[in-house]
Structures are given as C-alpha cells and as structure tokens.
Amino acid sequence: MPHFLARALVVVGAPLAAVAAALPASAHVTVHSYDAVRGGSDAVLSFRTPNESNSASTVKLQVFLPTETPLLGVLVQPIPGWSYSVKTVTLKHPVETDDGAITSAVSEVTWTGGRVPVGGYQDFNIDVSDLPDVPTLTFKALQTYSNGKVVRWIETAPKGAPEPDFPAPTLQLAPAPTAGTSSATASHASAHTDDADRALAIVGLALGALSLVFSGFALLRRWEAS
C-alpha cells in the first residue's frame, strides 16, 4: 500500500480507536494506566468502577494495594462529592531507594460519600511515585451498593484458565523503554513520516504537471479553432 494511503487510513482510524479505548472493557472493577511501566515513576492508576445494579447506586469502593511488591509515594486524586481515607502498613521487607530505606507503604484506599448511579461508572485515580519492577500488579476491590450489597472483586485464576466470576483488578506492566530504544523508535517513525511527505509532494507535482498539459491542449484547440 502506498505510504500516503496508509497515512490517510491512520489519520481516519486513530479517532475511532481512541473512542473504543475509552469505553469500559467490561462490567467488572478494572485498573488501567497509560504511563505505568516496570520500575517506572509518576504513574496514574485508574480504578474503573461500573455500576452493575439495576436499582442501587455504588456508594463505596475499597481498593487493597499489594504490599509484597509495594507502590511507593501513593497520592489520591480528589473527586467532587467523594471523600477518601488511606491506610498504611509496615513492610516486611523495606525497599531500598536513593533516599534511604522505605519501611511503610499504602495498603488500602477507600472512597465514600458519593454515588455511581445505575448505568454509570466512575474512575477512582491514584498517583504512584515509584512502581515495583514486576510484570503484573494484582489488586483487590470491594464495591458496596446503597442496598447494602457488597461485591468482592478478589478472585484470581492461573494463566490460561477461564476468567473467574469476580476477577481482581490486574495491571500488566510493560518493560521500561531504554534510551536507545526510544531514540531508535523515534528515528523509525520520523523516517516513515518523511517518506509519506515525499510521496504526497510527488503526487502534488504530478497533478500540477497534468493540469499544465491539459491547459496547453485547451489553448491549442482554441488557437486552431480561431
């Protein structure tokens, strides 16, 4: 496929892909992040909480963070109409950092006071200063409804097994990109962009040349007719 056609398809398809990605993937409590990588820093984790009830609102969400592979420097994003509380624990194995040993970490965040209505969902966000260097982070979540029902999103399953009925929110962490990899990727993308621009320029020149040819024929016919 010519580069300029491929580029046009990408431009048209990108907004559609973005809309699809923004939609909830399922009716479970899930965790998402656009910037979390293994051993990364300053990442926002979003716990998407859809309301599965036909008659009750979600009024409380408890998220339990892993402490064997702790998340350091956790901050909670305020949500209008909701309040939150944070619990910390002393770590069994302190985490060594450039600033010294970290001996405690956030183990639980609870949001209350607001409502997720029937047919709606809410994103509950936290910011993490330092992520552990692990491929997967598994959380547990308890979702409480206004009728008193509590849904426990805590189940896990071995790799390859069917998804459980109440799966725990799980986040896959990609390896952190190296400086060389990032540079090579940028150069590759730049080369493709240059190729596409050259192709568009060639097409433009060709169309311009054809226009001049047709104009010449038109002038010649008028001269012959006169």
Side-chain angles (χ1 to χ4, degrees), residues 8 14 42 55 67 81 86 96 109 119 122 157 161 182 186 195 202 213 218 222 225:
D42 194 23
S55 58
T67 54
V86 175
E96 296 295 335
V109 182
Q122 177 66 55
S182 298
D195 289 343
I202 292 171
V213 170
R222 289 178 184 178

Side-chain angles (χ1 to χ4, degrees), residues 6-219:
R7 187 180 183 188
L9 291 175
V10 170
V11 171
V12 173
L16 298 177
V19 170
L23 298 175
S26 67
H28 309 323
V29 173
T30 53
V31 57
H32 310 269
S33 180
Y34 292 104
D35 44 20
V37 295
R38 294 180 58 168
S41 60
D42 194 23
V44 175
L45 275 57
S46 182
F47 295 90
R48 179 157 296 180
T49 307
N51 194 328
E52 293 187 308
S53 173
N54 294 323
S55 58
S57 300
T58 294
V59 296
K60 181 179 180 181
L61 178 70
Q62 295 170 269
V63 174
F64 299 88
L65 280 59
T67 54
E68 291 298 323
T69 54
L71 283 61
L72 305 181
V74 173
L75 299 174
V76 183
Q77 181 180 26
I79 303 174
W82 292 82
S83 59
Y84 64 85
S85 61
V86 175
K87 290 184 179 180
T88 61
V89 295
T90 300
L91 299 175
K92 295 180 180 179
H93 306 288
V95 179
E96 296 295 335
T97 69
D98 294 338
D99 298 322
I102 304 297
T103 59
S104 63
V106 173
S107 61
E108 179 184 343
V109 182
T110 301
W111 289 269
T112 56
R115 286 180 176 269
V116 181
V118 174
Y121 76 94
Q122 177 66 55
D123 285 338
F124 297 89
N125 298 336
I126 63 173
D127 180 85
V128 182
S129 294
D130 294 287
L131 290 164
D133 188 5
V134 295
T136 305
L137 288 173
T138 300
F139 304 84
K140 293 182 179 181
L142 302 183
Q143 182 179 10
T144 302
Y145 286 89
S146 56
N147 59 8
K149 180 181 179 180
V150 178
V151 181
R152 302 169 63 84
W153 303 102
I154 62 173
E155 298 177 357
T156 59
K159 186 176 181 179
E163 183 180 67
D165 292 334
F166 301 96
T170 302
L171 181 65
Q172 304 293 331
L173 297 180
T178 62
T181 301
S182 298
S183 177
T185 301
S187 299
H188 185 68
S190 177
H192 276 286
T193 300
D194 291 342
D195 289 343
D197 289 340
R198 290 192 190 98
L200 291 172
I202 292 171
V203 171
L205 290 173
L207 291 175
L210 288 174
S211 178
L212 289 174
V213 170
F214 288 134
S215 297
F217 277 125
L219 289 173

